[in-house]
Amino acid sequence: MCAAVLVVGSANADLVVPVDRRPAGGETVLGGDTVLSPGGKGANTAVAAGRLGADVALLGAVGSDPYGALLRDSLSGAGVGTEHLRTVDRPTGIAYITVTPDGENSILVSPGANSALTPADITDEALADAAVVVLSLEVPLPTVEHAVRRAAAAGAKVLLNLSPAAQLSPATLGALDVLLVNEHEAAYLLGSDDTDPRKLLELGPRAAVVTLGAKGAVVAAADGVTEVASPKVEAVDTTGAGDAFAGALAAALAEGVDLVDAARRAVKVAAISVTRPGAQPSYPTSDELE
């Protein structure tokens, strides 16, 4: 089975703890009750696209444990194909997340099974008929760079979410149709606090999208720079908002929507997601966007 949107990335169980403040080094802080929910940048992106009605599949890896079963059920429930989701002899990845009252989070990821994803997993069968291939960096970098090359050669539109931030080869950056970053990732990649999105284009991608949190996003392409404002909302939990944006952007691009309009839709999806707790459970359906 082939999907119009193929997401290559991680699948994690999110263990979320609300805290009044984050502990300093050597300090113990009491938090609220732990909430378990499905997450991981790859799975989140796929679920966000699936909730919007996209034909989407996840290429990734989980363990043969209850967390892996949780993720498979969540993906299937959102209409995401799991035929390319391997079960490996390692524990499912886990993200340990603290959320403060202002909705901001800090995250520690134990990759587990995600580290077992190899270039050999990027098969012709998985790439067949994919209009858009979406990648993020919670899986091994060699696998990501190989997938970018294969997807570009297959004629798919390649969207890479540079999260968590890492240095990519010039060849990989040059093969991207869309480079998606937040302000911190843009600064990391450019080695400067000046995050002018036009400078990202000098690194090779055909277009770049910089997300700006509550301010929305900026789209840079050969024909200019466009600011996309976000609706004003009261944030409850920002966990997975960037993945919601990535999934919505990919879903729109697969429909043939131009990049600026796709970013407008993605900004709305991300804004809705931060008004609800959790990552995947917070993602809206297409009906909720109307």
Side-chain angles (χ1 to χ4, degrees), residues 31-119:
D33 293 344
T34 298
V35 176
L36 169 65
S37 65
K41 289 189 176 298
N44 289 349
T45 299
V47 167
R51 289 265 176 89
L52 296 171
D55 174 21
V56 57
L58 175 67
L59 192 159
V62 295
S64 57
D65 50 36
Y67 292 146
L70 168 77
L71 285 156
R72 285 187 179 276
D73 289 346
S74 176
L75 290 161
S76 297
V80 178
T82 59
E83 60 272 17
H84 305 300
L85 182 63
R86 291 174 53 212
T87 298
V88 300
D89 189 23
R90 293 190 66 171
T92 298
I94 298 178
Y96 302 90
I97 304 171
T98 60
V99 181
T100 48
D102 60 0
E104 288 299 317
N105 60 66
S106 60
I107 306 173
L108 170 66
V109 175
S110 172
N114 296 304
S115 297
L117 200 64
T118 70

Side-chain angles (χ1 to χ4, degrees), residues 150-274:
R150 290 287 305 276
K157 189 179 292 291
V158 185
L159 163 62
L160 188 139
N161 182 9
L162 193 86
S163 183
Q167 290 293 336
L168 301 173
S169 69
T172 297
L173 288 167
L176 300 179
D177 292 284
V178 183
L179 171 65
L180 173 61
V181 292
N182 62 25
E183 290 178 285
H184 302 295
E185 292 152 1
Y188 171 86
L189 200 57
L190 293 170
S192 168
D193 291 336
D194 180 2
T195 56
D196 183 342
R198 289 169 292 192
K199 292 186 177 179
L200 293 170
L201 299 183
E202 295 173 7
L203 300 178
R206 278 167 281 289
V209 178
V210 181
T211 57
L212 306 173
K215 293 183 289 185
V218 177
V219 178
D223 57 355
V225 175
T226 306
E227 295 182 2
V228 179
S230 172
K232 302 300 181 184
V233 298
E234 184 173 344
V236 171
D237 181 0
T238 59
T239 304
D243 306 328
F245 187 102
L249 191 71
L253 292 174
E255 293 175 16
V257 176
D258 73 78
L259 183 58
V260 171
D261 286 339
R264 290 193 178 104
R265 188 184 304 180
V267 159
K268 291 180 183 178
V269 170
I272 291 172
S273 78
V274 304

Side-chain angles (χ1 to χ4, degrees), residues 111-173:
N114 296 304
S115 297
L117 200 64
T118 70
D121 293 313
I122 314 302
T123 63
D124 290 340
E125 179 187 5
L127 291 170
D129 298 330
V132 177
V133 175
V134 193
L135 308 103
S136 51
L137 303 181
E138 286 182 339
V139 296
L141 197 56
T143 302
V144 171
E145 296 204 309
H146 179 77
V148 169
R149 289 194 300 272
R150 290 287 305 276
K157 189 179 292 291
V158 185
L159 163 62
L160 188 139
N161 182 9
L162 193 86
S163 183
Q167 290 293 336
L168 301 173
S169 69
T172 297
L173 288 167

